[in-house]
Amino acid sequence: MAAITAKETRRGERRGHGINHKSECRQYTSIEQALGDALAAYGVTGLAIRADSGIHRFDSTDKPKGNRNGWYVCPSLEVAVYGFWHLNLQETITTGGKADPAAAAEARLAAQRAREQREAERRAQQVKTAEQARRCWATAGAADPSHPYLTKKRLAPHGLRQRDTMLLVPLFYDGELVNIERIYPDGAKKALFGGRAKGVAGLVGKLVDADRVLIAEGWATAAALYEAIGVPVVVARNADNLEPVARRLRQRLPDNVAITLAADDDRFTDGNPGTTKARLAALAIGAKVLMPTFCADCQRCTDFADVALCRKERGL
C-alpha cells in the first residue's frame, strides 16, 4: 500500500485506464479537502466526503455509471485511504507532514476492512445473480431458429433458450448454472449484472464420452466449430477468460481427453489479443492451438464463425 502525504498526491502524472493523475503540490487544513483533491486528480468530483471511519463507495469515471469501483475511508481526521478496485490501486493520504504511526496503522486496518467488505459484497451479488440466472433459464422457451442473430450467422440454436428477443447462453461454474449471457438481435452480448465471470463457461455439444474438446471465445464461434467438426466446444466468452477456463477444464477432464484452443485471429487489433491469449492458455495446460484459415483476399474475417459464414456466402 502506497503511503503518501497530501503534498505528494499529485506528484508526477499517471496515465492508463483512461485516468490521468496530474502534478501539483498543496497544503490542506482538513482530510476532506485533501481527499477531495486527490480524487479529483482521477476525475472524481462532487463527493460529499465523510470522515466517519466508514467505507464509502463511488463511481470510477472510466467505467459505466453505477460501477462503484472507487472507495475511500477516513479512519481519522488526519488520514484517509482510497482506491479503485478495477485498477488494483490503493493509496493512503494525510493532511500534510508526517503521519503518526497510530494513524498509519489505522489506515492499514481500514484498507483491510474495505477489501473484506468488497469481497463479501461481491460474493453476495454472485449468489443473487446465480439465482436470477436459474429463474430466467427455467422460465425461458427454446430459441427460435429464425432469430435474427442465428439467421445472420446461419447457425442452429444448439440448445439456446430465448426470452423475448434475447437469446440466452447458460454459463456454468463447477457444473452449476451461475450466469447467463444475453445475445440481442443486433449481436450485442451482455451477461447478468454482478455474476461470476472468471472461469465461467458455456458449452455447445456434450462432454460425456468426448475424446477431444475445443475451447473458443464466443458462442457463435463455438457453434460454427461444432457444426464443422462435431466435437464439443466450451465457450469462454472472451480472450481474458481462456486461460482460467482452460485450467479448470484440464483439471476436470481425464488426462486422455485432448483439449485444443480454437483462437480468434484479431489480426486487425494491436497485439492480436485473441491469438495471444489463446497461446498463453494452451501453454498453461500443454494444449495445442487451432487457428482459422482465411481466403487470400479476405479483409473481414477474424474467427471461425466468420470463416464459416464467409464460405457459406461464397457457396464453398
Side-chain angles (χ1 to χ4, degrees):
M1 179 174 69
I4 55 180
T5 69
K7 291 183 179 180
E8 298 171 311
T9 56
R10 290 191 165 188
R11 183 179 57 200
E13 183 171 354
R14 304 178 68 118
R15 296 190 182 274
H17 303 279
I19 293 178
N20 292 333
H21 196 185
K22 297 182 179 179
S23 176
E24 183 180 329
C25 291
R26 291 185 60 184
Q27 187 72 32
Y28 300 96
T29 57
S30 71
I31 194 60
E32 292 91 343
Q33 184 186 20
L35 180 56
D37 194 62
L39 294 178
Y42 291 91
V44 179
T45 59
L47 293 182
I49 294 174
R50 291 178 286 176
D52 57 4
S53 299
I55 300 167
H56 302 283
R57 303 276 291 278
F58 57 86
D59 286 354
S60 172
T61 57
D62 60 332
K63 292 289 184 179
K65 185 177 180 180
N67 63 79
R68 288 167 51 84
N69 275 322
W71 61 274
Y72 76 85
V73 58
C74 301
S76 76
L77 297 179
E78 294 80 29
V79 177
V81 187
Y82 69 94
F84 297 89
W85 300 118
H86 66 302
L87 302 181
N88 195 28
L89 172 70
Q90 177 181 308
E91 292 185 345
T92 301
I93 188 171
T94 71
T95 52
K98 184 178 180 180
D100 65 85
E106 184 62 28
R108 288 192 293 271
L109 290 175
Q112 179 62 30
R113 290 199 302 272
R115 286 192 295 270
E116 292 172 353
Q117 179 175 311
R118 163 70 171 180
E119 180 63 17
E121 291 175 354
R122 184 181 68 86
R123 290 184 180 278
Q125 182 59 57
Q126 287 180 351
V127 170
K128 182 178 179 180
T129 300
E131 293 172 349
Q132 179 187 356
R134 291 165 194 148
R135 290 194 302 269
C136 182
W137 184 255
T139 57
D144 183 355
S146 63
H147 185 279
Y149 182 76
L150 298 175
T151 300
K152 179 182 177 181
K153 296 290 185 178
R154 297 193 184 184
L155 294 169
H158 295 293
L160 295 186
R161 293 186 183 180
Q162 185 171 337
R163 191 181 188 90
D164 298 325
T165 62
M166 301 177 294
L167 294 174
L168 306 180
V169 181
L171 301 173
F172 299 89
Y173 188 86
D174 281 347
E176 295 186 358
L177 178 62
V178 296
N179 206 337
I180 284 178
E181 180 178 69
R182 296 159 291 177
I183 303 179
Y184 295 86
D186 63 357
K189 304 175 184 68
K190 189 176 182 180
L192 296 178
F193 171 78
R196 181 184 287 273
K198 185 176 181 180
V200 304
L203 177 66
V204 179
K206 296 181 180 180
L207 294 177
V208 178
D209 296 328
D211 56 10
R212 184 187 182 194
V213 178
L214 303 182
I215 303 175
E217 287 189 37
W219 180 87
T221 298
L225 284 164
Y226 179 73
E227 291 183 2
I229 303 176
V231 300
V233 187
V234 173
V235 183
R237 293 196 64 229
N238 57 64
D240 288 333
N241 204 33
L242 287 171
E243 184 172 336
V245 168
R247 287 182 179 275
R248 295 190 65 80
L249 191 64
R250 183 69 284 170
Q251 292 172 354
R252 294 174 66 87
L253 293 179
D255 292 341
N256 63 337
V257 177
I259 299 177
T260 301
L261 276 294
D264 284 6
D265 189 350
D266 298 325
R267 51 197 177 130
F268 306 118
T269 303
D270 290 343
N272 198 331
T275 299
T276 300
K277 295 297 178 66
R279 287 174 175 167
L280 289 173
L283 183 63
I285 64 169
K288 294 181 179 180
V289 176
L290 182 65
M291 296 293 299
T293 301
F294 309 117
C295 298
D297 59 343
C298 180
Q299 295 298 315
R300 183 187 68 179
C301 299
T302 59
D303 58 38
F304 288 98
D306 292 341
V307 171
L309 180 59
C310 184
R311 290 177 176 173
K312 289 175 183 176
E313 291 174 343
R314 297 187 181 198
L316 300 177

